[in-house]
Amino acid sequence: MPIPKRTPIAPEDGDGLVPDELAELYRRHAPAVLRRGRRFLPPDEAEELVHEVFLKLVEEPRRLRGEASPATWMYRVATHLCIDRLRKRARQARLTADFAATRAPHDPGQTPEARAFLDALWSTLDDELAMIGVLYHLDGMTTADIGRTLGVSDRTVANRLARLASAARAAAGDEPGGQR
Amino acid sequence: MTLDRQGHLTELALDRLEADPPASDPSFFEAARAHLAGCEPCRARVDLRRRDALTIAPSARVVAAWRSRHAARRGHLPKLVGVGGALAVAALVLIVARAPPAGDDDAPRKKGASLHLEVHVHDGARARLVGDGDRIRAGDRAAFGVRPERDGHLLVFGWDATGAPYAIWPMATDPRAAVAQPIARMEATLPLPAAIRFDGTPGAEHLMAVLCPEPFSLADLLPPDGLGASEPRVPAACARRRVVLHKTP
């Protein structure tokens, strides 16, 4: 049997149509991503964030395929991009400022560590600590849930939270040291 | 697992309830729904989300990236296969991912049984997604994408107006010998490493994907009196999708 010679065809572009599969992914996941974006960003930026998340999905589809929970992947990527955007702006505002309207059912920020994190510390921590801090202090997640969401052990999360608390105390001038 | 430190469903848990397929993590869905049943504040949050009804359409940049990516994926397929005989003239690589334009009327509708088939035809100038009743011409080339919504064994085949069957995926010189290949449930459309060029036989061109829980061959599906006279014998437990095109010389 002859194997035909490959004849690549350029993709159809510019016809103004949205592939239905992409539209379905948006229908299913974009509301949650948009909601997540609005917790940290102004509405117009939150919409940009949605498209940014889906661009990552398009660029790395295998990552999503390997996820038991696509929503978790979206949540993680969206949170990371939110933190990234806020940092790029070198914004020193309290993280709670944009968050107050849709905060978790509990009231975050009641402990000194949480207040330090929410006020300013989040913007100076490394990516992993900032992410863990957001999930813990803003979303109220348990260490086990954070571990599952980020793909690390409970113990790792607990260690990072201890480091975060130490950084908070250092930021408050209670003790020397930083995030590491 | 689903609760925050205050004992309520996390935002992520609500996202998962809203967007993840229940089959992705049955224990999570069971636990989350059980909690919802007894937690009024959490139900209120779910209601608030429903009232929000957020929608957002893909941006042009994402659409362009999507198409570009799918084209690139096709370009890296290791090998193309053709259809035997006169149809095995050439094959092509094409991916423009879209959902199926039209369902097979006799496709099973029960949850979890769905199978999606995309047919993309290139006429030498441009590619288009085709659906039932669309016209094609001899020499047009076609590529295929599938999205099985459950694990199973998949076979894609076709037959022309004379009833002559041909295997599309997996490829087999003798179509009767084509054996369905195991495939996992997919969240996104999988472009098949298979393409065909339509020959000059005019009339209806049937393209069908069949997904069964058990292994099978194309021979199992062929009716004794031929596809020109009867329908394929697809077991009730199988999902199938068909696109019927009208071919002109």
Side-chain angles (χ1 to χ4, degrees):
Chain A
M1 179 207 67
I3 298 297
K5 190 176 179 180
R6 179 176 298 182
T7 311
I9 291 176
E12 182 181 31
D13 272 329
D15 61 6
L17 298 175
V18 176
D20 286 353
E21 186 189 349
L22 180 61
E24 169 62 16
L25 281 170
Y26 262 75
R27 186 199 64 74
R28 186 183 285 243
H29 293 289
V33 178
L34 183 58
R35 198 175 289 114
R36 186 67 174 158
R38 285 182 177 179
R39 297 180 75 169
F40 298 93
L41 306 168
D44 56 333
E45 274 197 59
E47 290 199 9
E48 287 177 15
L49 174 90
V50 173
H51 302 312
E52 201 173 345
V53 169
F54 276 83
L55 273 177
K56 286 211 172 283
L57 166 63
V58 171
E59 289 162 1
E60 302 176 86
R62 287 180 183 173
R63 287 197 177 188
L64 184 58
R65 284 198 200 106
E67 285 279 350
S69 163
T72 300
W73 185 89
M74 297 275 180
Y75 189 90
R76 194 170 56 235
V77 172
T79 303
H80 175 79
L81 290 176
C82 282
I83 294 171
D84 201 39
R85 273 176 172 260
L86 292 171
R87 282 176 158 172
K88 279 179 180 170
R89 272 193 278 178
R91 190 166 133 174
Q92 296 300 311
R94 292 160 58 108
L95 194 53
T96 43
D98 294 322
F99 182 75
T102 55
R103 61 177 48 170
H106 63 285
D107 186 18
Q110 294 307 301
T111 65
E113 290 85 359
R115 279 198 297 276
F117 176 78
L118 297 172
D119 283 354
L121 193 57
W122 66 272
S123 64
T124 62
L125 298 170
D126 66 41
D127 286 350
E128 184 189 42
L129 271 187
M131 174 72 95
I132 288 174
V134 165
L135 298 184
Y136 187 82
H137 290 302
L138 294 188
D139 297 339
M141 281 187 177
T142 62
T143 54
D145 235 1
I146 294 171
R148 270 187 289 271
T149 301
L150 301 183
V152 298
S153 69
D154 295 11
R155 185 171 183 80
T156 297
V157 175
N159 288 339
R160 299 295 187 274
L161 285 172
R163 188 195 295 174
L164 188 57
S166 173
R169 285 192 294 275
D174 293 344
E175 64 181 46
Q179 58 172 303
R180 297 191 183 278
Chain B
M1 187 265 296
T2 61
L3 307 179
D4 65 21
R5 299 195 304 279
Q6 299 296 314
H8 293 291
L9 288 170
T10 62
E11 287 298 303
L12 173 56
L14 294 181
D15 287 353
R16 295 183 65 188
L17 279 172
E18 185 177 277
D20 276 349
S24 65
D25 189 349
S27 61
F28 161 77
F29 276 83
E30 186 179 348
R33 285 170 177 160
H35 178 86
L36 262 184
C39 179
E40 196 279 329
C42 291
R43 284 201 303 277
R45 290 162 66 206
V46 171
D47 289 341
L48 186 62
R49 282 172 167 240
R50 287 178 181 150
R51 284 198 300 274
D52 252 0
L54 298 176
T55 58
I56 180 169
S59 69
R61 188 176 167 213
V62 175
V63 172
W66 176 275
R67 288 182 169 162
S68 172
R69 173 73 190 184
H70 281 239
R73 280 166 59 195
R74 270 295 175 98
H76 285 89
L77 292 173
K79 184 190 287 185
L80 294 177
V81 291
V83 176
L87 292 176
V89 178
L92 57 90
V93 176
L94 165 66
I95 175 69
V96 183
R98 293 187 192 165
D104 196 355
D105 286 344
D106 53 1
R109 299 296 185 202
K110 67 180 180 182
K111 193 172 183 181
S114 293
L115 169 66
H116 300 273
L117 170 66
E118 299 175 11
V119 182
H120 303 271
V121 169
H122 197 285
D123 62 9
R126 66 190 300 270
R128 69 187 196 279
L129 181 69
V130 296
D132 278 342
D134 282 352
R135 291 182 175 277
I136 56 171
R137 298 175 67 92
D140 285 355
R141 295 161 295 178
F144 305 85
V146 294
R147 180 161 57 88
E149 292 191 348
R150 66 182 182 190
D151 296 349
H153 294 77
L154 176 74
L155 191 146
V156 182
F157 66 106
W159 67 97
D160 62 21
T162 69
Y166 52 90
I168 295 172
W169 191 86
M171 173 58 187
T173 307
D174 173 7
R176 297 181 61 85
V179 176
Q181 297 296 298
I183 191 167
R185 173 182 176 279
M186 297 277 174
E187 284 292 329
T189 297
L190 173 72
L192 292 177
I196 60 172
R197 184 190 296 273
F198 294 109
D199 70 357
T201 308
E205 194 83 23
H206 297 253
L207 304 164
M208 179 176 276
V210 176
L211 179 72
C212 295
E214 302 296 332
F216 66 100
S217 71
L218 182 50
D220 299 327
L221 306 180
L222 299 179
D225 51 350
L227 285 168
S230 300
E231 287 291 294
R233 300 183 302 179
V234 179
C238 304
R240 57 184 160 183
R241 300 293 285 189
R242 170 165 45 182
V243 173
V244 184
L245 306 173
H246 184 74
K247 187 166 61 181
T248 56

